[in-house]
Amino acid sequence: MLKIHNINEKMTWYEAKNPNQAEQDQLVKLGVTRELLFYALDPNESARTEIDQPSGNALIVFDIITPESPFSATEPVGMLIDKKGNFFTIARSTTARISEKLFALARENHLDKSSLTPIDVFLNAISVLVAEYISTISVINRKRNIIQSDLRQKIQSGAISSLMELETQMIYMLDSLRTDRTAISRLQAYLGDRVNDNQKKYFADVLVENTQAIDMANQTADVITTISSAYSNLNNQRLDKSLRVLTMLQALMAVPTIVTGFYGMNVHLPLAHLAYSWILTFVITGILILVELVILFKIHFFDR
């Protein structure tokens, strides 16, 4: 799908969602190269700013949070600013929500579309997207608190698995925030004099917000990793105790098997001819089990 929005007299927004071949051909006619289209639509592309030197077009591949994606917590979306003052968004189905963010209220109380430039739209969008990272990290923190409270009551493998899922999300988000920061900085450097004083301040504010999000993500990831490791260790200790108990029982149960095995053989054994020799097997078994228990206590088997 390719929609064309005339924002004002100087800027047009071309909104592409899963463009088919005909729509991609139309984008190429508008100045978007095949190479930039490939980068924008590649789900595995790393966040960065790519400059097409012949045309001067700047493609910003920006990682955004994708709650509906079955693959990862974040995915890249393409935003392009051309020399003519037009703005392009090139998205897949999982990243199509970028369209909602372009004109959402961010730092400004309102957006005057009559004077908007592509740089203004981009800055407003990434400010909203970075704020979304911060709110998502806060939600993950709340989920972690709930899981941690449950684990205090009872260690469950499902809770530890949930912690691992949160840990995986944080890895994706941390990587995305860092590469997003690089993309923003490179675009700012490329634009140079095309950025006015107000936009320079906005760039600085967005980078500060990005740094705050990275700090939050680092702290959250460290806490989740620490908690996950601690409860995994506790789980391993409980498993170790269970295995030691089973080992002890196996060793104790081996004694009567050995004793009765000897007296069950068709050979002459001491005291085997007595009328009450079967009682003797119990006595010998009891003595050997006591000896075994003493040895286990001596080596502090039960204190480990």
Side-chain angles (χ1 to χ4, degrees):
M1 180 189 73
L2 178 62
K3 289 184 178 180
I4 301 173
H5 308 270
N6 293 313
I7 305 303
N8 54 43
E9 294 180 356
K10 296 182 179 180
M11 184 181 75
T12 301
W13 167 32
Y14 296 91
E15 179 187 10
K17 295 181 183 178
N18 284 328
N20 56 33
Q21 190 58 52
E23 291 164 344
Q24 290 185 33
D25 292 340
Q26 188 176 349
L27 288 169
V28 170
K29 290 179 182 178
L30 292 167
V32 183
T33 65
R34 297 279 181 192
E35 184 180 17
L36 293 184
L37 271 175
F38 175 79
Y39 294 151
L41 292 171
D42 185 1
N44 300 313
E45 194 68 33
S46 178
R48 60 198 176 94
T49 296
E50 184 73 23
I51 309 300
D52 180 53
Q53 296 299 338
S55 64
N57 294 342
L59 171 70
I60 308 95
V61 180
F62 199 85
D63 282 345
I64 68 171
I65 291 175
T66 50
E68 297 177 1
S69 171
F71 304 110
S72 63
T74 63
E75 286 190 25
V77 65
M79 290 178 278
L80 186 141
I81 300 173
D82 70 5
K83 280 285 190 178
K84 300 175 184 177
N86 296 317
F87 190 78
F88 296 77
T89 54
I90 306 167
R92 301 178 310 283
S93 56
T94 52
T95 56
R97 55 199 300 270
I98 183 64
S99 300
E100 308 166 6
K101 310 299 178 183
L102 295 186
F103 303 101
L105 294 182
R107 188 184 67 168
E108 306 292 346
N109 292 327
H110 66 281
L111 290 173
D112 183 6
K113 292 188 178 182
S114 63
S115 60
L116 277 180
T117 67
I119 299 172
D120 294 324
V121 175
F122 171 75
L123 286 170
N124 188 78
I126 62 173
S127 180
V128 174
L129 292 170
V130 172
E132 194 172 64
Y133 272 101
I134 293 173
S135 62
T136 302
I137 294 169
S138 298
V139 170
I140 289 175
N141 259 324
R142 287 196 290 272
K143 288 182 180 178
R144 188 260 306 162
N145 284 329
I146 294 170
I147 294 170
Q148 191 174 355
S149 297
D150 292 340
L151 283 172
R152 287 196 188 101
Q153 305 298 323
K154 183 180 180 181
I155 296 179
Q156 299 174 337
S157 58
I160 295 175
S161 297
S162 297
L163 279 175
M164 289 176 63
E165 288 178 11
L166 295 181
E167 191 174 357
T168 303
Q169 287 183 41
M170 292 311 306
I171 291 171
Y172 279 111
M173 283 200 261
L174 258 174
D175 182 68
S176 295
L177 283 166
R178 287 167 180 155
T179 52
D180 282 349
R181 181 180 181 81
T182 303
I184 296 168
S185 298
R186 182 154 190 251
L187 177 66
Q188 185 181 17
Y190 168 71
L191 293 174
D193 296 337
R194 292 164 62 185
V195 178
N196 60 40
D197 290 339
N198 188 51
Q199 290 168 344
K200 286 179 182 177
K201 291 178 182 177
Y202 211 162
F203 263 112
D205 289 345
V206 168
L207 288 172
V208 168
E209 290 170 3
N210 177 272
T211 302
Q212 290 173 346
I214 290 174
D215 290 341
M216 281 184 66
N218 270 320
Q219 185 182 43
T220 301
D222 289 343
V223 171
I224 291 173
T225 301
T226 302
I227 293 170
S228 182
S229 298
Y231 281 105
S232 292
N233 289 336
L234 284 174
N235 216 20
N236 291 336
Q237 287 177 8
R238 291 191 173 191
L239 179 61
D240 181 60
K241 287 181 180 179
S242 299
L243 290 174
R244 279 193 280 118
V245 169
L246 290 173
T247 302
M248 179 195 69
L249 290 175
Q250 186 179 16
L252 294 177
M253 292 302 294
V255 173
T257 303
I258 294 171
V259 174
T260 55
F262 269 112
Y263 277 89
M265 293 188 295
N266 294 321
V267 295
H268 294 290
L269 293 173
L271 307 177
H273 62 282
L274 297 177
Y276 299 102
S277 58
W278 63 274
I279 298 178
L280 183 63
T281 60
F282 285 102
V283 174
I284 295 172
T285 300
I287 293 172
L288 291 176
I289 288 176
L290 285 174
V291 170
E292 191 172 357
L293 287 172
V294 169
I295 293 172
L296 290 175
F297 274 107
K298 286 285 186 182
I299 64 174
H300 302 287
F301 180 85
F302 301 101
D303 298 333
R304 294 177 186 175

